[in-house]
Amino acid sequence: MNERAVVLNGLAQGIRPLEQSIDWFESLADAAQFEVLRDLAGFCIQARALIEDGPESIRRSGIRPTHTPAVLITRGHLTEQLTKIINLPQGERTKAFRLLVALLGVADERRRARFCAHGCGHAWHHLGMGAGTETATA
C-alpha cells in the first residue's frame, strides 16, 4: 500500500489528526489535490459507500449541509456525485477533502463490522497495529 493510501486510510480511521492533514492538503499543488480527492473517492467506492452515508459524513466532516460537496453527496447516484465533488473548484477542495475522509470513515466502519469483524487481510485495517501508524505530516 502506498504512503498516500496509508495516510488517507489513517485519517478515515481516526488514527491520524485531520487538522494537521488539512494543512498538508492545502499545501499541495492543484494537480496533487485533485489526485488526493480522486484517490479518496476511489477508496469510498471500494469501501462500498452509500448515498445513505451522506448525512453522517456531513456531520463528521464539520462542513455545513449547505456547502456544495455536502449538497452533492446527498443527491443520489453516488459515483456521479463523487466525480462532481472531486472536480469542484479550488475554493471547495478543502471541504471536499473533509467530506470524503468522513465518507470513507463511515463506509469503512460498516464494511469492517460486516465483513472484517473476525479478521481480514486488508492492510489498511491494520494500520493501528504496527508500521505506518506514526503521526504523519500528511
Side-chain angles (χ1 to χ4, degrees), residues 51 58 65 67-78 80-86 88 99:
I51 279 298
I58 294 165
H67 285 147
T68 304
V71 170
L72 290 171
I73 204 70
T74 59
R75 282 195 174 163
H77 304 286
L78 186 60
E80 292 174 25
Q81 300 311 325
L82 289 172
T83 299
K84 291 176 186 177
I85 290 169
I86 66 174
L88 285 170
L99 180 63

Side-chain angles (χ1 to χ4, degrees), residues 1-133:
M1 181 166 38
N2 70 39
E3 182 60 25
R4 184 181 296 159
V6 170
V7 169
L8 298 176
N9 279 284
L11 282 168
Q13 294 174 37
I15 296 169
R16 296 179 183 271
L18 181 61
E19 294 307 318
Q20 183 181 7
S21 297
I22 289 170
D23 292 341
W24 162 77
F25 178 77
E26 290 176 341
S27 75
L28 297 174
D30 286 352
Q33 284 184 353
F34 174 81
E35 289 173 9
V36 167
L37 293 174
R38 183 195 62 212
D39 288 352
L40 275 169
F43 296 157
C44 289
I45 296 298
Q46 287 176 342
R48 300 183 180 136
L50 306 168
I51 279 298
E52 293 81 9
D53 298 332
E56 177 62 13
S57 300
I58 294 165
R59 186 191 69 72
R60 289 186 189 187
S61 72
I63 68 172
R64 292 186 193 129
T66 56
H67 285 147
T68 304
V71 170
L72 290 171
I73 204 70
T74 59
R75 282 195 174 163
H77 304 286
L78 186 60
T79 303
E80 292 174 25
Q81 300 311 325
L82 289 172
T83 299
K84 291 176 186 177
I85 290 169
I86 66 174
N87 285 296
L88 285 170
Q90 185 63 37
E92 298 287 332
R93 284 192 174 166
T94 299
K95 294 175 213 155
F97 177 73
R98 294 179 75 99
L99 180 63
L100 294 180
V101 166
L103 178 63
L104 178 57
V106 170
D108 192 54
E109 282 177 17
R110 183 181 51 254
R111 183 177 181 172
R112 285 168 165 270
R114 286 187 184 163
F115 304 109
C116 301
H118 302 293
C120 69
H122 299 122
W124 58 91
H125 287 165
H126 303 284
L127 296 177
M129 299 175 190
T133 61

